[in-house]
Amino acid sequence: MKYLIVGSGGREHALAWRLSTDGSSDEVYVTPGNGGIKEKLRVGISADDFEGIAGFVKEKNIDMVIVGPEAPLSAGIADYLEERNIQVFGPSKKAARLESSKLFAKQIMNKYNIPTCNHKEFANKEELLKYIDTVDNYPIVIKLDGLAAGKGVGIPEHRDEALKFISKMVKENDKVFVEDHLVGEEASILGICDGNNVKMLVPSQDHKRIFDGDKGPNTGGMGAYAPAPVMTDERLDFVYKKIMKPAVDGMKKEGIPFKGVLYAGLMITDDGISVLEFNVRFGDPEIQAVLPLLEGRLGDIIEAAVKGSLDKIDIFFKNKHSITVVMSSGGYPGGYEKGKEIRGLDDLSDDIIVFHAGTKKENGRCYTNGGRVLNVTCTGDTLKDARDRLYSEINKIHFDGAFFRKDIAYRAL
Ligand code: GLY
C-alpha cells in the first residue's frame, strides 16, 4: 500500500512513522509535511489544495489518503477525493460538523442522550453580552460554534475577563453558547469508526495549558501520555456504550455515517463522565503517545475503517506506557520567532523517538518553523520509567528559546 498523509504536524509525522515501520507500507508521503519527513517523501502541496492532492494521488498511484487536521475535513476533502474514487480515511464534510459546529455536536449529543453539560445558545454577540450582564457565578465557559484553531473556548473567572474574551474572539454575528463549568480530570478517547462500528484506542490524557501545573493560556497541547489511568475499565465500558457507540449510531440515523476518527474530549467529574467536545481526527499530541503502544499494523485498522469491516478486527495495545513532551518555541502560544537551529537530535538514545511538528530542513540542518516544534516520545514498562527516561534525554536537544513542560503525566504519578 502507498499512503499520502495530509498535514504538517507531529500527528502526521507519527502516522507516517508508524505506517512505515510496522509493515503497513514502504511508501508514505506527507503533504505538506515538516522537517522530520524525508525529502523524497515530502510533497509541497498545501492541505487546502484538493485538486493538487488528487493529482498527486493519481500520479503516484497512492492507495489511501489519511487526513490529519480538521480544517481540510471540514472543507470537504474526503468528499472531494471519494468523488474521484480515491480511498480516504476521514469523515465527510457533513460528518465533520461534529467538530466544525459545536452546536451541531450538542444537538447530536442531546438527541441521542450522550452525556454533556447544559448549554445556552445565543444567535449573536449582542445577545451574549446581554446575558453576561445577568451572570453572577463564575467561571463560565464561552464557546464559539465554528472552528477557531483551538482559540474558540474561553473560561473567564470574572465579568471583565468574559468581556475581554468576547471583544477579542466573538464577531457581531457569530453563533456562540455558554456552558456549565465542570471540574474534574480530562481524558481523550480516540475511536476508529467505519460508519457502523467504533473501536476505541488506548485512552490518553493531554496537557493543554502552557505552564506546569496546568497554568497559563491554552495551547494545542504540550504533552500527553497513555494509558491514562483515570479511564478505568468500568469508565471505558461506559464511554463505549453511552458515548462512542450512540454517537456513531446517531450519525448513521441522521443519514450522515461517520467514518474516520471520532475523538471524544471527556471530563471525569464526581458526578460522572461528560463530553466536553467531539473532534473528527486524531488528537495531537495524544496520537504521538498512543501509536508506540499499538500492536500490529496501523494500515490494517485504517483499511478496515474505510472498507466498513472494523467488526472483523481487534485492536491490541502493548502492556506498556508511553509519554510525549512537546518542545515549543519561546513565546508560544503568543508570538514567537522561527528559524532557530535545532541541535542535539542525533545525540538522543535509541529509546527516544522525536516526531517533528514546526520544523524545516535546509542543507541538512533542522530549524524551528512553528509554535509547537518537536514531540519527544518515550515508552517504558511503567509510566514513571518512560517519563524519567524522557526527561533525562530531552535536555540534549537545543534551540534558542526552547520551552517544554516538566510535569507531563503528573496526575497519573
Ligand atoms: N490535543 C488536543 C487536540 O488535538 O485537539
Side-chain angles (χ1 to χ4, degrees):
M1 290 280 280
K2 285 191 198 175
Y3 290 88
L4 173 66
I5 298 173
V6 178
S8 61
R11 164 182 51 210
E12 289 76 26
H13 188 190
L15 290 165
W17 163 81
R18 180 68 203 201
L19 289 166
S20 54
T21 54
D22 71 6
S24 298
S25 173
D26 49 15
E27 225 173 317
V28 184
Y29 295 89
V30 187
T31 196
N34 59 41
I37 311 294
K38 283 189 195 123
E39 205 172 331
K40 63 176 186 180
L41 298 172
R42 204 179 332 134
V43 187
I45 304 170
S46 82
D48 57 7
D49 179 359
F50 299 172
E51 197 183 332
I53 289 172
F56 181 82
V57 167
K58 297 281 183 202
E59 180 195 319
K60 292 280 181 190
N61 288 318
I62 301 287
D63 299 291
M64 177 82 72
V65 178
I66 301 174
V67 185
E70 63 278 15
L73 291 166
S74 305
I77 190 172
D79 313 66
Y80 183 93
L81 296 178
E82 271 176 3
E83 280 159 17
R84 285 155 186 78
N85 297 318
I86 294 168
Q87 289 199 102
V88 54
F89 179 66
S92 65
K93 179 175 179 161
K94 279 188 179 164
R97 289 190 76 217
L98 280 180
E99 178 163 358
S100 64
S101 168
K102 292 189 175 77
L103 283 168
F104 172 74
K106 279 285 190 192
Q107 279 164 21
I108 293 289
M109 288 189 258
N110 289 333
K111 185 163 175 185
Y112 295 99
N113 297 317
I114 294 170
T116 187
C117 61
N118 296 324
H119 76 285
K120 198 169 166 47
E121 285 179 40
F122 305 95
N124 54 43
K125 184 170 172 174
E126 198 185 332
E127 277 190 24
L128 172 65
L129 285 169
K130 273 191 212 147
Y131 172 76
I132 293 295
D133 279 340
T134 69
V135 176
D136 47 21
N137 214 355
Y138 283 89
I140 57 170
V141 180
I142 305 175
K143 288 188 175 177
L144 269 74
D145 178 46
L147 290 182
K151 297 194 178 105
V153 179
I155 310 181
E157 301 275 348
H158 46 74
R159 187 171 181 275
D160 284 354
E161 259 182 32
L163 295 177
K164 206 166 145 195
F165 174 82
I166 294 166
S167 122
K168 193 168 164 203
M169 293 307 303
V170 183
K171 297 194 200 76
E172 291 310 318
N173 290 318
D174 276 349
K175 278 199 224 159
V176 63
F177 60 102
V178 170
E179 262 184 3
D180 297 345
H181 178 249
L182 300 181
V183 178
E185 193 168 337
E186 288 188 39
S188 304
I189 299 292
L190 307 176
I192 310 283
C193 307
D194 68 1
N196 290 302
N197 305 287
V198 53
K199 295 271 160 122
M200 294 180 351
L201 305 186
V202 65
S204 53
Q205 189 174 68
D206 183 18
H207 297 64
K208 295 204 173 70
R209 305 285 185 139
I210 184 76
F211 298 128
D212 285 8
D214 295 325
K215 302 271 185 340
N218 262 334
T219 70
M222 292 303 292
Y225 65 99
V230 67
M231 294 311 297
T232 58
D233 286 347
E234 192 187 345
R235 286 179 173 148
L236 286 171
D237 189 53
F238 176 91
V239 170
Y240 178 79
K241 289 184 181 142
K242 301 288 180 192
I243 296 173
M244 304 303 276
K245 190 71 171 92
V248 170
D249 290 347
M251 290 294 279
K252 191 175 157 194
K253 278 203 192 111
E254 298 295 312
I256 317 170
F258 191 95
K259 281 191 179 190
V261 181
L262 181 63
Y263 159 159
L266 306 176
M267 180 67 88
I268 293 88
T269 73
D270 290 344
D271 296 329
I273 298 180
S274 184
V275 179
L276 295 177
E277 63 181 6
F278 278 134
N279 295 317
V280 299
R281 33 86 195 170
F282 290 113
D284 179 344
E286 289 96 320
I287 196 64
Q288 288 90 306
V290 165
L291 284 178
L293 301 178
L294 181 69
E295 296 273 20
R297 301 198 311 189
L298 175 64
D300 294 344
I301 299 170
I302 286 176
E303 199 174 348
V306 170
K307 296 210 152 80
S309 57
L310 270 179
D311 52 329
K312 306 218 166 39
I313 66 162
D314 286 314
I315 302 180
F316 296 102
F317 288 89
K318 297 186 176 96
N319 189 17
K320 285 183 176 266
H321 299 258
S322 175
I323 174 168
T324 190
V325 173
V326 172
M327 292 185 84
S328 67
S329 296
Y332 172 81
Y336 54 84
E337 291 178 8
K338 296 180 184 176
K340 310 288 180 195
E341 187 173 356
I342 303 169
R343 294 199 182 84
L345 292 171
D346 294 336
D347 303 332
L348 296 167
S349 126
D350 286 347
D351 57 349
I352 304 291
I353 312 171
V354 178
F355 299 122
H356 289 228
T359 72
K360 65 174 177 193
K361 274 244 172 80
E362 271 173 16
N363 303 322
R365 292 171 188 243
C366 198
Y367 298 91
T368 66
N369 194 35
R372 291 192 293 170
V373 176
L374 299 169
N375 300 259
V376 184
T377 304
C378 187
T379 302
D381 288 336
T382 66
L383 183 58
K384 185 172 180 318
D385 286 351
R387 183 165 107 144
D388 289 350
R389 285 287 310 134
L390 190 148
Y391 279 120
S392 72
E393 288 284 309
I394 197 167
N395 287 314
K396 291 180 178 170
I397 305 172
H398 298 280
F399 53 89
D400 280 354
F403 174 83
F404 60 90
R405 275 181 64 162
K406 317 285 184 298
D407 68 343
I408 299 302
Y410 77 96
R411 285 180 193 273
L413 293 168

